[in-house]
Amino acid sequence: MNELLNQLNPPQREAVTATEGPVLVLAGAGSGKTRVLTCRIAYMLDEKGIAPWNILAITFTNKAAKEMAERVEALVGAAANDMWVRTFHSACVRILRRDIERLGYGKNFNIIDADDQKNLVKECLRELRLSEDEFPPRAVLAEISSAKDKLMTPEDYRREYATEHRLSQMGRVYALYQEKLRASNDLDFDDLIMLTVRLFKDCPDVLEFYRNKFKYILVDEYQDTNAAQNELVILLAGEHKNICVVGDDDQSIYRFRGADVTNILEFERAFPGAKVVRLEQNYRSTQNILDAANSVIKNNSGRKGKNLWTEDGSGEKIQVYRANSDYDEADYIAGRVRELAADGYRYGDIAVLFRARASSRVIEDVFMREALPYRVLSGLRFYDRKEIRDMIAYLRLIKNPDDDISLRRIINVPSRKIGKVTMDSINSIARREGVSLYRAIGGHLDELKGGVAEFYETIKNLSALTAELPIDELVNRVYQDSGYAASLERDEKGAERAENVGELISGAAHYAETVDEPNFDDYMDNLVLVSDVDNYDEDMDAVVMMTMHASKGLEFPVVIVCGFDDGVFPGAKAIYDMEELQEERRLCYVAITRARRRLYLTGSHSRMVFGKTSVYKPSRFLDEIPGELYELTDAREELQARREQLRESMAQYRQRQRVMPSATVTKEAERPKPSGNLDLRPGDSVSHAKFGEGVVISAEPMGNDVHYKINFKSVGEKNLLGLYAKLTKID
């Protein structure tokens, strides 16, 4: 252990060895916080003799939890298996599986995903006769999620906003939404935290059990906690107050999800006498990159404050490029990627970060044209594909037959010729008898014959197998017995979808092989708690494109931040809202500190937005970076410089012509054509070395040159000057 401690810098050692009482570790980007957390756990187990089952370590992603558990096991061996290293949501699921019956729910509850939530809200809106135009389901869900993050029940919400018409209507939707969830014995993601807090408050003996169990608590990424998560941590820390939170207020970028940066800023108020340790030495980036990040973030107010530094040297200057257009910007990015690949970088070493997902379209267009390998991390997840969602709905239903949400999804998938009239009849029976749809069907099988009865028997038989079959075999039986396999065989385009289901079955087999005590409930919980970042494969050799939010927790040798323009990043709304602007500045800090060796910041003088060209100024964040840290290349200034050089050359040429005694006036028709001696007219076909073949739309004289507007097959319309275009006329 001493050898391990000697490998740490002084602040890291202090954070590791301060095991008693509250500790706040302010860990700057790339400062080795994961190493500190794992070493701290190893120190508690090895040096302090703390039992592993008395330790709870909470992270925000399964990827981070897995990495931490593996590192601890490498340090202390099998003892790591007896401690909880979990995400907030998975820890709460485990707690609720044990005691949720105390709140009136069944232990076999299901967790619905975002798509199921949206469908349920739509159902509530229809029943309440509220328009989706006035109350968009996505907006309603965001409001419900925000209320749950603040631990507001539907009753609390309706009391709070009783006098505000729109919000009071939202409260009605929230109340009905929650009733339907409870009737189906379903929870959404926000319920996992909210109900655990309620369980602890309503059942002091349950809280006491977990306080005695978890005498030492560690929480990673504390700046990302919301009010409910903060309350959960405070309740668990209770009397012993042996809590260590690690985070960086400068990396708090999830305000839109309910994250509250004041949780970390006011930690010392919640836990008086807390020790504060700052980790400022960076082991990731060059000093130029760190200086840029420090210079930007210091403009925020209300910070704890720290200054990142490294022993690895200044490194290369940051490259800033101001393009003429968004396609020009994408061309520049593609060009840099090719250069970097030629310099020995893998494509997988390069990340392109953007503020909003839509910003990637033009870049993707250019990458496809240039045949550059890339992937978009925030694209369609495997678990979002229809066939996978259908299979999961079957699995949810056989686990919890009262799950009306899942039943509605798959009762007629594949088709069993169950129409609207039949479903209305089933709904009426369920409402009249106060039971779930499945139980309503079971009590009236004589009336509901044909496909409905067949469906009921299928679910009944499969439910009986959940405790008998290995999980992968169970998933395969669901696939076969439900008729889903046969339906895909009949579908001309079903082969790929069938392969996806095969992957689901393989994943179930992998789960069974890698978990000590596999069980159906745990497998189902894992399916819904997985995230995009958890599936990120660092070994894939392709440029990764992702939002800045998705990049948090990752690092790359090369980072290209695109859209570095006011109105794009920071966004237009943030420019006029100080809190939003500070959040955007923290996002900029995160984006910059993802880079290890090279950083590019690209923007454009103009962009096509909603079919119209808009003009943009450089991002105000660029003004906050000292000029000596970067090299600026401006495509417009370069073009202007070439034009000035041309004017000077032409002026010198005319001067020589005037002083030559034998000079004669050349007829206009005999003057050399500035377009490379080509006589191009609208309708002519031309070829360009970069853009390929195109057709001239217009040709207008411009000084001593000709301005061409050309429609290229590959990239659309381009404006080019004849002297520089190097066009070839196609006869």
Side-chain angles (χ1 to χ4, degrees):
M1 181 54 66
N2 286 334
E3 183 181 347
L4 185 64
L5 292 176
N6 289 334
Q7 295 174 6
L8 305 175
N9 64 41
Q12 288 176 331
R13 275 197 301 276
E14 184 180 7
V16 165
T17 56
T19 58
E20 307 301 312
V23 179
L24 169 61
V25 180
L26 294 170
S31 61
K33 71 177 179 65
T34 304
R35 187 180 191 189
V36 166
L37 281 169
T38 53
C39 288
R40 181 182 171 89
I41 294 171
Y43 182 82
M44 288 192 292
L45 294 171
D46 198 37
E47 288 290 316
K48 306 294 286 188
I50 296 168
W53 49 85
N54 289 147
I55 299 174
L56 169 65
I58 301 177
T59 70
F60 269 86
T61 67
N62 292 314
K63 181 176 182 290
K66 181 181 178 182
E67 180 183 356
M68 188 184 299
E70 288 174 349
R71 288 199 191 187
V72 172
E73 185 174 4
L75 292 174
V76 301
N81 297 327
D82 294 326
M83 58 178 286
W84 279 26
V85 182
R86 290 179 171 265
T87 65
F88 268 105
H89 290 97
S90 65
C92 288
V93 167
R94 190 164 180 179
I95 291 169
L96 292 172
R97 287 284 178 214
R98 180 179 181 270
D99 289 303
I100 198 170
E101 289 177 329
R102 302 282 292 272
L103 299 178
Y105 288 82
K107 288 185 178 181
N108 66 336
F109 63 84
N110 280 328
I111 306 165
I112 67 172
D113 61 22
D115 196 57
D116 292 325
Q117 288 180 266
K118 187 169 72 172
N119 290 334
L120 186 58
V121 165
K122 287 182 176 181
E123 184 182 323
C124 293
L125 290 170
R126 284 194 298 271
E127 290 187 21
L128 295 171
R129 298 174 184 266
L130 295 173
S131 166
E132 288 189 24
D133 292 333
E134 187 178 355
F135 296 92
R138 192 181 297 275
V140 175
L141 272 175
E143 191 65 24
I144 292 173
S145 178
S146 177
K148 291 184 178 183
D149 286 348
K150 299 170 186 172
L151 299 173
M152 294 178 72
T153 65
E155 295 74 24
D156 296 332
Y157 189 92
R158 296 182 74 174
R159 277 194 302 270
E160 179 74 18
Y161 301 111
T163 59
E164 298 183 37
H165 173 71
R166 178 175 171 76
L167 293 180
S168 66
Q169 295 301 314
M170 291 269 203
R172 292 177 63 208
V173 181
Y174 180 14
L176 183 57
Y177 170 86
Q178 211 59 28
E179 285 176 20
K180 288 180 175 291
L181 280 179
R182 183 150 191 166
S184 293
N185 199 33
D186 285 331
L187 308 182
D188 65 20
F189 286 102
D190 299 309
D191 284 329
L192 299 177
I193 311 294
M194 187 176 182
L195 289 180
T196 303
V197 171
R198 182 181 152 198
L199 178 67
F200 286 166
K201 288 184 174 180
D202 290 358
C203 307
D205 58 313
V206 176
L207 175 59
E208 189 64 23
F209 171 83
Y210 284 103
R211 279 180 173 174
N212 289 331
K213 176 176 176 57
F214 300 127
K215 295 177 180 177
Y216 294 85
I217 300 171
L218 300 90
V219 186
D220 192 12
E221 304 287 7
Y222 201 67
Q223 77 281 349
D224 293 335
T225 55
N226 58 36
Q229 291 162 335
N230 190 52
E231 181 70 10
L232 179 71
V233 169
I234 290 173
L235 285 170
L236 280 173
E239 300 162 357
H240 57 70
K241 293 182 172 56
N242 294 324
I243 178 169
C244 173
V245 301
V246 181
D248 182 1
D249 53 304
D250 291 334
Q251 294 188 71
S252 179
I253 60 173
Y254 295 118
R255 183 168 172 262
F256 68 97
R257 290 184 189 168
D260 188 351
V261 70
T262 60
N263 292 340
I264 192 169
L265 294 176
E266 296 182 2
F267 179 81
E268 294 156 274
R269 183 178 298 177
F271 294 94
K275 176 187 283 291
V276 180
V277 181
R278 284 176 170 79
L279 305 182
E280 298 176 301
Q281 183 174 357
N282 180 280
Y283 295 93
R284 175 190 300 163
S285 307
T286 64
Q287 192 63 53
N288 276 341
I289 292 171
L290 298 179
D291 286 346
N294 290 332
S295 298
V296 169
I297 201 63
K298 73 179 182 182
N299 292 280
N300 269 5
S301 59
R303 301 171 56 231
K304 286 287 187 181
K306 60 189 172 308
N307 195 61
L308 299 180
W309 60 276
T310 182
E311 294 179 341
D312 290 344
S314 298
E316 297 184 27
K317 285 191 175 185
I318 299 164
Q319 298 298 310
V320 179
Y321 182 72
R322 294 289 298 160
N324 273 319
S325 67
D326 42 5
Y327 268 99
D328 180 25
E329 179 186 26
D331 282 336
Y332 173 83
I333 292 171
R336 299 296 76 73
V337 168
R338 287 205 180 282
E339 288 179 2
L340 290 162
D343 286 346
Y345 285 94
R346 296 171 57 251
Y347 289 116
D349 291 337
I350 306 167
V352 177
L353 308 184
F354 35 79
R355 176 64 183 84
R357 174 69 180 85
S359 300
S360 74
R361 185 193 64 80
V362 174
I363 302 173
E364 288 188 64
D365 285 350
V366 171
F367 271 52
M368 285 190 287
R369 187 193 73 203
E370 299 291 328
L372 290 171
Y374 76 93
R375 54 192 164 139
V376 182
L377 188 62
S378 55
L380 182 66
R381 295 192 315 138
F382 174 77
Y383 293 101
D384 287 337
R385 291 174 169 87
K386 181 185 182 303
E387 58 274 14
I388 302 303
R389 289 179 51 76
D390 289 342
M391 287 295 298
I392 290 175
Y394 271 106
L395 294 169
R396 285 176 179 167
L397 192 60
I398 66 173
K399 173 173 166 286
N400 170 21
D402 292 326
D403 186 346
D404 288 351
I405 296 169
S406 294
L407 184 144
R408 283 195 178 94
R409 180 182 179 91
I410 45 87
I411 189 171
N412 205 34
V413 179
S415 175
R416 298 181 176 89
K417 298 182 180 179
I418 302 172
K420 183 178 183 300
V421 174
T422 303
M423 281 306 302
D424 287 345
S425 176
I426 296 170
N427 282 322
S428 296
I429 295 169
R431 282 195 298 270
R432 185 176 68 243
E433 299 182 359
V435 295
S436 67
L437 297 176
Y438 180 79
R439 295 182 192 278
I441 294 169
H444 296 266
L445 284 177
D446 291 339
E447 306 164 38
L448 303 166
K449 298 178 181 179
V452 176
E454 175 193 332
F455 173 77
Y456 179 86
E457 290 299 324
T458 298
I459 299 302
K460 180 181 176 181
N461 294 335
L462 289 170
S463 296
L465 298 175
T466 57
E468 299 177 12
L469 294 179
I471 292 171
D472 56 322
E473 291 184 26
L474 176 64
V475 177
N476 191 40
R477 279 292 295 273
V478 169
Y479 181 45
Q480 301 295 334
D481 294 0
S482 65
Y484 211 98
S487 72
L488 292 185
E489 287 174 5
R490 293 191 298 269
D491 187 344
E492 291 181 1
K493 299 180 180 179
E496 183 178 349
R497 296 174 63 196
E499 289 178 6
N500 289 334
V501 177
E503 279 298 309
L504 181 69
I505 297 169
S506 297
H510 177 73
Y511 163 82
E513 292 171 358
T514 55
V515 174
D516 291 337
E517 297 180 7
N519 66 80
F520 189 39
D521 284 348
D522 187 51
Y523 168 71
M524 291 299 295
D525 292 340
N526 284 337
L527 285 184
V528 295
L529 294 176
V530 72
S531 70
D532 282 350
V533 174
D534 295 329
N535 291 324
Y536 170 56
D537 181 2
E538 297 179 6
D539 295 328
M540 186 180 293
D541 193 19
V543 176
V544 60
M545 298 182 188
M546 66 177 80
T547 64
M548 298 175 197
H549 285 97
S551 72
K552 189 168 175 292
L554 303 175
E555 61 181 74
F556 303 89
V558 181
V559 167
I560 303 171
V561 182
C562 66
F564 218 65
D565 306 309
D566 252 19
V568 178
F569 184 51
K573 292 181 180 178
I575 292 173
Y576 304 103
D577 184 322
M578 185 54 66
E579 286 191 10
E580 287 289 340
L581 184 59
Q582 296 211 119
E583 179 97 348
E584 294 279 283
R585 190 174 279 115
R586 291 193 290 268
L587 188 57
C588 183
Y589 172 86
V590 167
I592 289 173
T593 53
R594 298 312 93 197
R596 285 162 47 190
R597 289 290 168 260
R598 294 191 184 184
L599 174 65
Y600 297 81
L601 307 175
T602 70
S604 179
H605 288 287
S606 65
R607 294 180 180 279
M608 186 72 75
V609 180
F610 294 110
K612 296 183 179 179
T613 299
S614 300
V615 177
Y616 290 88
K617 294 180 179 179
S619 171
R620 61 193 58 205
F621 298 146
L622 184 60
D623 292 336
E624 296 172 357
I625 300 174
E628 63 268 17
L629 297 179
Y630 64 84
E631 293 177 348
L632 171 64
T633 303
D634 192 315
R636 184 166 292 182
E637 289 181 2
E638 283 191 337
L639 179 59
Q640 186 62 31
R642 289 199 298 268
R643 286 175 176 169
E644 289 295 332
Q645 187 178 17
L646 176 63
R647 289 193 187 99
E648 290 178 8
S649 298
M650 293 304 296
Q652 292 172 5
Y653 171 76
R654 291 194 190 97
Q655 182 63 27
R656 289 196 301 270
Q657 290 291 89
R658 280 196 294 270
V659 300
M660 289 175 63
S662 59
T664 58
V665 177
T666 305
K667 292 181 180 179
E668 186 69 23
E670 296 174 354
R671 287 181 181 171
K673 298 290 188 297
S675 53
N677 292 322
L678 291 177
D679 185 13
L680 298 178
R681 293 181 174 83
D684 286 347
S685 296
V686 295
S687 176
H688 185 273
K690 185 175 186 180
F691 303 129
E693 294 183 7
V695 177
V696 177
I697 298 173
S698 64
E700 300 291 338
M702 180 180 287
N704 293 292
D705 206 341
V706 176
H707 174 266
Y708 292 110
K709 180 179 286 187
I710 301 173
N711 185 18
F712 290 100
K713 294 179 182 178
S714 61
V715 296
E717 289 186 10
K718 287 286 183 180
N719 294 299
L720 302 172
L721 292 175
L723 282 171
Y724 305 101
K726 297 181 180 178
L727 299 167
T728 302
K729 186 176 180 180
I730 302 175
D731 296 323

